[in-house]
């Protein structure tokens, strides 16, 4: 009797082990399928020169500019310099005075500068704006919506967008005054 009971117990243990292993294998298989489907359907669009710039809307935080929100599509017909930056970024800080010095002249010529702040808090952005007397629109991307939309890696990153909404040039890294002005000239609306 004990031998038969031992054989039955051993058989039950094998069956339970097989069920347990089968469940684990099924869960792993489901996890792999989920990961594959998620990766295949993820938006991996990286924008290049020649692509249309995706539209976005953010709240504007610069008190020296009258806009409350910034929506890219509102600038159709104007050239747009779309800059992504942060107050902690030294190259970003180095190019800001160049952007401000050219802004009044190029705004008159139909080119808008939009500098999207990637900072965590508005307080540090306000201090930075005041330090450099910045007057162009500075939307605050608090939830990284636009950063993710444009697939921004290193900052500063700048997109130069034509009056028709097409990306003309993408520059990663700080711009010199001369390079900045040459790109602004490229996106300036033609006089009709």
């Amino acid at each position: 009797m004990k031998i038969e009971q031992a054989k039955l117990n051993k058989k039950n243990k094998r069956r339970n082990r097989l069920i347990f292993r089968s469940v684990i294998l099924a869960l792993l298989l489901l996890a792999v399928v989920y990961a594959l489907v998620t990766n295949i359907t993820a938006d991996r669009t990286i924008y290049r020169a020649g692509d249309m710039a995706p539209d976005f809307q953010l709240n504007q935080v610069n008190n020296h500019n009258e806009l409350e929100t910034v929506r890219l599509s509102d600038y159709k017909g104007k050239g747009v310099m779309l800059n992504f930056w942060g107050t902690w970024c030294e190259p970003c800080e180095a190019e800001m005075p160049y952007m401000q010095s050219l802004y009044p002249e190029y705004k008159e010529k139909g080119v808008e500068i939009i500098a999207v702040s990637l900072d965590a808090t508005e307080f540090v952005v306000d201090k930075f704006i005041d330090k450099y007397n910045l007057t162009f629109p500075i939307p605050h991307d608090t939830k990284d919506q636009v950063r993710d939309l444009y697939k921004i890696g290193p900052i500063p990153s700048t997109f130069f967008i034509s009056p028709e909404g097409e990306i003309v040039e993408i520059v990663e890294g700080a711009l010199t005054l001369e390079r900045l002005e040459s790109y602004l000239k490229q996106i300036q609306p033609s006089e009709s």
Side-chain angles (χ1 to χ4, degrees):
M1 192 85 140
K2 287 186 177 189
I3 295 174
E4 285 180 30
Q5 187 64 34
K7 285 182 181 179
L8 187 60
N9 285 347
K10 196 173 184 180
K11 189 176 180 182
N12 283 341
K13 280 184 182 179
R14 279 189 195 144
R15 186 174 44 88
N16 289 344
R17 232 182 289 142
L18 179 64
I19 291 170
F20 180 73
R21 288 177 181 163
S22 297
V23 168
I24 295 295
L25 187 60
L27 289 173
L28 286 172
L29 188 61
L30 281 172
V32 167
V33 168
Y34 175 77
L36 288 172
V37 168
T38 302
N39 273 339
I40 290 170
T41 59
D43 180 13
R44 296 178 185 268
T45 307
I46 295 179
Y47 298 99
R48 293 181 171 79
D51 293 341
M52 295 304 288
D55 197 15
F56 65 87
Q57 181 173 327
L58 290 173
N59 289 331
Q60 201 275 132
V61 297
N62 189 348
N63 293 329
H64 305 292
N65 191 290
E66 69 280 355
L67 294 177
E68 286 185 31
T69 60
V70 173
R71 185 173 39 234
L72 185 61
S73 57
D74 289 344
Y75 295 95
K76 197 99 173 150
K78 291 184 174 188
V80 176
M81 174 190 171
L82 180 60
N83 178 263
F84 293 88
W85 67 286
T87 57
W88 71 91
C89 164
E90 289 181 23
C92 301
E93 187 171 0
E95 71 182 4
M96 282 293 169
Y98 302 145
M99 291 164 56
Q100 181 56 47
S101 70
L102 294 172
Y103 180 62
E105 174 188 349
Y106 279 89
K107 183 174 174 64
E108 291 293 316
K109 294 178 178 180
V111 175
E112 190 63 57
I113 294 176
I114 300 171
V116 178
S117 169
L118 303 176
D119 283 278
T121 65
E122 196 172 313
F123 176 74
V124 294
V125 180
D126 289 338
K127 285 179 63 176
F128 190 92
I129 290 168
D130 290 342
K131 178 179 178 180
Y132 291 101
N133 296 315
L134 303 176
T135 59
F136 43 82
I138 300 179
H140 193 198
D141 192 10
T142 56
K143 296 178 183 156
D144 288 339
Q145 311 162 219
V146 181
R147 181 183 202 162
D148 292 344
L149 178 65
Y150 278 81
K151 308 291 188 252
I152 300 303
I155 60 171
S157 284
T158 307
F159 289 71
F160 292 91
I161 303 167
S162 75
E164 296 74 38
E166 183 181 307
I167 299 169
V168 174
E169 192 71 47
I170 302 170
V171 178
E172 290 181 347
L175 292 158
T176 63
L177 181 62
E178 295 77 24
R179 281 186 67 205
L180 176 57
E181 188 161 23
S182 74
Y183 288 129
L184 292 176
K185 285 178 182 174
Q186 284 181 36
I187 60 171
Q188 188 176 320
S190 58
E191 296 175 31
S192 305

